[in-house]
Amino acid sequence: MSARSDVMVAGGNDPSADWSRDECQGELLGPQRTSTDAVRQSARLAKFHVPEVVFGPGSLAELGHCALRLGGRRPFLVTDPGLMEAGWADEAVGHLRRVGLRPVVWSDVTPNPKDVEIQAGFERYAASGCDVIVGVGGGSVIDAAKGVAILSGNGGHILDYEGVDQVVQPIPPTVMVPSTSGTGADVSQFAVVTDTSHHIKITIVSRTLVPEISVIDPRLLTTMPDWLNAATGLDALTHAIEAFVSRAHNPLTDIHALHAVELITANLVRTQVRPRDFGARLAMAQASLEAGMAFTNAILGATHAMSHQVGGLLDAPHGVVNGVLLPHVIRFNAETWPERFVALGAAAGLPVAGVPSHEVAEQLADLVRALADDVGVPKGLASLGVAERDLPVLARTTLKDACMATNPRDVDVRDVETLFREAL
């Protein structure tokens, strides 16, 4: 099954169906909704797959019981040097041991996890006789943990599983503990891996990758460096916006996407200015969760498809690239469907009553750029190392990314190259 057909059937919201986009908008704009719209909305198929979630300050203490409930005896704990230094990996190990488990720790993960790292992690997993896989870290750690799980259940090489539903055999149970407020990897059906031979990122999409349990302890967010806090926060905002306008959105994803936008625009800068503001950290943890629940079911769009290619080429921070690209993609998509951005603008705090939808979309793009400025994200891709000569290759590889299937506007290679050029 192609990426496009899978997400369309699962999401139940193909714009080519027998109701119009204006009717699809009815459930979001309150007074405009009609009884006919309501019937059509309730009649549509909606997919919503999420893990069990343990959320709140101190929830890391539940990690041992979570692994035990999944049949764990010798958990394989995936983490990275930063989490080791911050002490969170040691705390996690303590909780696992407290319930009688014998964890093995593997911490050789770098940002934008590489195919060779995942292969090494799998070999360590297989040699150690482990069972349940636990990820404690950001999106890179969690994607690496998913990669180890894929290989342990399916064999082969991690790059073999690019695309949608290529992971056909069961994988070991997984428990994920996010240490950032943005990637959503702890609740998603995605894993993104860097192909070190071709310097691109590949996207793996499979329902088997949705973890059994996500343990979200906002305490872990307080040790993020500022650049990572900014990057992951903008990543979460991109998840929410792209999920909301996705071809595969549905009412179940919409409500979480909108709330995530509201929480992020109100709290991201607060966490940057006052890192110990625990109320803001709690809000960002929830925003990351809700944006993750939205995008794993509605999928994403052009911003992520493009960002993956830049990350693969330059090993650049994913959320930073998203922050640069997102305003350009909002403007591009709004040329075809500006009405869909009105509810997003309202969630972000923009005045929308009586404002034409295309103006709301433009103001939302400006707001995203202003937020990126506030948290220190560069204005263009050139400052990250992207050159004009890179654009044709980046554009071609972007079109192969699974996330492009659900972008609300059809895109060709010239469109993508133009977007990259505008973002330089």
Side-chain angles (χ1 to χ4, degrees), residues 216-233:
I216 303 171
D217 189 337
R219 295 181 305 135
L220 275 66
L221 310 184
T222 61
T223 55
M224 275 192 293
D226 287 347
W227 72 265
L228 185 58
N229 184 59
T232 56

Side-chain angles (χ1 to χ4, degrees), residues 69 78 128 140 182 220 232 243 257 274 306 339 347 349 369 396 409:
R69 284 193 287 112
V78 180
S128 59
S140 295
L220 275 66
T232 56
R274 297 192 295 274
M306 295 169 70
E339 298 81 11
R369 183 59 252 178
R396 287 196 300 272
R409 179 178 176 181

Side-chain angles (χ1 to χ4, degrees), residues 82-126:
L83 273 294
M84 297 286 287
E85 183 179 350
W88 299 120
D90 285 344
E91 182 175 333
V93 167
H95 294 312
L96 293 168
R97 287 177 175 164
R98 194 164 294 118
V99 297
L101 303 179
R102 298 175 296 118
V104 172
V105 177
W106 177 63
S107 61
D108 295 333
V109 181
T110 62
N112 302 311
K114 318 299 186 286
D115 49 5
V116 291
E117 295 170 354
I118 290 171
Q119 181 63 35
F122 163 64
E123 291 171 3
R124 176 73 185 280
Y125 173 89

